[in-house]
Amino acid sequence: MYQKGRAWIELNLENLRFNVQQLKKMLPKTCKLMPAVKANAYGHGALPIAKALQEMGIEDFCVASVEEGIELRNAGIAGNILILGYTHPRQFEQLVKYELTQTVVDSVYAGKMAEYGKEFRVHIGIDTGMHRLGINWMDMEAIRSIWEYKKLKVTGIFSHLCAADGKSQKEKDYTKEQIKRFELVVNQLKQEGKTGFSTHLQGSYGILNYPECRFDYARPGIVLYGLFSRLMECESREKCSNLCSATEAKLRPVLSLKTRVESVRILEQGESAGYGMAYTALSRRKIAVLSIGYADGVPREIAGKAYVLCQGKKVPMIGRICMDQMLVDVTEIPDISSGDEVVLIGRSGEEQIPAETYAEWTGSITNEVVSRLGVRLERIVSS
Ligand SMILES: *Cc1c(COP(=O)(O)O)cnc(C)c1O
């Protein structure tokens, strides 16, 4: 079936390859990537992204849930798949069946896994200061005790930084403290003769801002997709040189979001359009109805601030965003008609709308904006 009919995502896998190489260059040679392909690869499409990464030689992935892990296995992803989050004991069988690695999220959870009676591969989460998941870094006894469960095969230990993107001294100091705590735990375990486990700490901003860390893996998410969490960082990439290294990283966005003009109509002066009569034409306007809406992940709250690109020109969104449609003012585009392509994220002619701009419109981060892109959008590899 034709896939560019209504609304779709185009994936530029060359840019993905470029980003992988950029990130590898930043890290020590011995450090491998364990990309975060959770949340449908941040909305990009878990299968096309994971398959492309596998073809680039990447063998390790992390996801949030057992379902996400199974999806990858069924699609032929052969390497290690680490589940970062919670798996219910009634899903333990799936861990075995699909050879997934489970995070030990705390000591109680380790006990439940051990009780189940089958052998599991686990990575131990260490809480070095985020206080979300993991065993407290100071509780060496609890950490050590995981090795005593004969059914748990510890193939990794990791922690997560909670302020690696921060530019304040407080955040930098805290991050350095987290790194130090994790290193202490690792060194202690190695001194005790424990072997056969890998180590990993950095996510995207850990890689960008603390690339000198020496662990076996890094877990990039958002930057792998060529995005910064905020517009400030991507804009200042070229302009400003005295910020953190995040601003100097050269990355290329992988995703474009596109839709089509469904219908073009004229609004006479004083006529309103859309739900709640939220928009009223102050003069005679030409409007286009686009076949994409909030059910596809276009945030409803951006109405009034946002624009799209049409034939290389910015055209403003008007009225309220509907579930399946939205309206734009195309008065300035003379020859627009039903079926024409419109860009929401990406490039059109000389103009472009980065995902970071969406993040700014919503007051959120790109991570949220792209991971909420809907299942109804086709994911198409652009050639
Ligand atoms: C999501 C996640 C990552 C990736 O985060 P980014 O900031 O997108 O790179 C890394 N580690 C853990 C534990 C995560 O949950």
Side-chain angles (χ1 to χ4, degrees), residues 12-39:
N12 184 327
L13 298 181
E14 272 313 305
N15 285 0
L16 181 68
R17 182 188 307 274
F18 179 84
N19 297 338
V20 164
Q21 281 159 0
Q22 288 297 110
L23 295 173
K24 279 191 180 163
K25 263 193 240 167
M26 284 176 222
L27 291 162
K29 279 204 173 59
T30 50
C31 184
K32 293 198 259 181
L33 297 182
M34 186 195 299
V37 292
K38 60 192 181 183

Side-chain angles (χ1 to χ4, degrees), residues 36 38 42 84 132 158 160 203-205 219-223 367:
K38 60 192 181 183
Y42 290 46
L84 295 166
R132 182 177 66 176
F158 73 99
H160 195 45
S204 291
Y205 283 85
R219 306 181 303 266
I222 197 69
V223 294
N367 313 45

Side-chain angles (χ1 to χ4, degrees), residues 301-308 316-319 357-363:
E301 70 264 30
I302 66 173
K305 301 178 207 167
Y307 52 86
V308 303
M317 292 187 193
I318 57 168
T357 299
Y358 267 77
E360 190 164 82
W361 285 334
T362 56

Side-chain angles (χ1 to χ4, degrees), residues 24-293:
K24 279 191 180 163
K25 263 193 240 167
M26 284 176 222
L27 291 162
K29 279 204 173 59
T30 50
C31 184
K32 293 198 259 181
L33 297 182
M34 186 195 299
V37 292
K38 60 192 181 183
N40 204 19
Y42 290 46
H44 290 59
L47 299 190
I49 295 290
K51 283 182 189 170
L53 290 169
Q54 183 165 265
E55 278 171 26
M56 293 173 209
I58 288 185
E59 294 175 329
D60 303 82
F61 298 88
C62 50
V63 294
S65 71
V66 69
E67 290 83 359
E68 290 177 341
I70 293 171
E71 189 190 11
L72 295 186
R73 276 284 183 259
N74 284 339
I77 299 300
N80 294 315
I81 301 175
L82 172 64
I83 297 167
L84 295 166
Y86 179 72
T87 297
H88 193 279
R90 287 176 68 174
Q91 297 173 318
F92 281 166
E93 200 55 43
Q94 312 301 314
L95 295 177
V96 180
K97 182 171 173 198
Y98 291 93
E99 299 183 57
L100 304 169
T101 307
Q102 174 60 41
T103 297
V104 170
V105 298
D106 59 31
S107 298
V108 174
Y109 191 74
K112 285 195 179 157
M113 290 196 82
E115 256 170 40
Y116 188 72
K118 293 208 178 160
E119 200 167 281
F120 297 111
R121 257 187 290 181
V122 299
H123 282 203
I124 307 172
I126 308 291
D127 176 14
T128 52
M130 183 169 183
H131 305 320
R132 182 177 66 176
L133 293 176
I135 303 175
N136 191 295
W137 68 283
M138 284 183 289
D139 196 352
M140 276 311 298
E141 206 174 301
I143 296 168
R144 211 178 273 128
S145 74
I146 308 302
W147 272 267
E148 278 149 35
Y149 293 120
K150 291 296 160 242
K151 295 289 185 189
L152 303 187
K153 198 163 169 286
V154 181
T155 55
I157 81 165
F158 73 99
S159 187
H160 195 45
L161 301 171
C162 61
D165 59 335
K167 294 185 177 69
S168 73
Q169 199 55 44
K170 185 182 168 197
E171 289 166 304
K172 288 180 185 170
D173 289 345
Y174 199 78
T175 305
K176 285 181 190 148
E177 186 59 31
Q178 279 195 280
I179 296 169
K180 210 167 80 189
R181 290 169 178 177
F182 185 60
E183 283 170 344
L184 267 169
V185 173
V186 171
N187 292 339
Q188 179 68 31
L189 292 169
K190 288 192 173 161
Q191 269 170 27
E192 291 172 15
K194 298 197 169 30
T195 54
F197 63 90
S198 64
T199 58
H200 45 104
L201 176 67
Q202 303 135 287
S204 291
Y205 283 85
I207 298 171
L208 298 183
N209 296 334
Y210 304 88
E212 65 283 357
C213 289
R214 303 197 79 85
F215 300 111
D216 300 318
Y217 289 95
R219 306 181 303 266
I222 197 69
V223 294
L224 187 73
Y225 307 105
L227 304 176
F228 296 97
S229 289
R230 293 167 200 84
L231 181 63
M232 190 180 62
E233 289 150 1
C234 96
E235 270 191 334
S236 54
R237 220 172 341 198
E238 273 125 90
K239 283 186 224 153
C240 179
S241 58
N242 66 350
L243 287 167
C244 68
S245 57
T247 59
E248 287 149 29
K250 289 187 180 54
L251 300 166
R252 297 179 182 166
V254 174
L255 169 150
S256 305
L257 176 62
K258 299 183 180 178
T259 186
R260 292 203 186 271
V261 173
E262 214 173 319
S263 179
V264 180
R265 59 197 55 235
I266 297 294
L267 276 190
E268 298 299 343
Q269 183 185 356
E271 282 185 330
S272 63
Y275 285 122
M277 297 163 286
Y279 172 81
T280 303
L282 296 177
S283 59
R284 191 171 195 266
R285 309 305 294 174
K286 182 166 66 174
I287 65 168
V289 182
L290 308 182
S291 56
I292 190 168

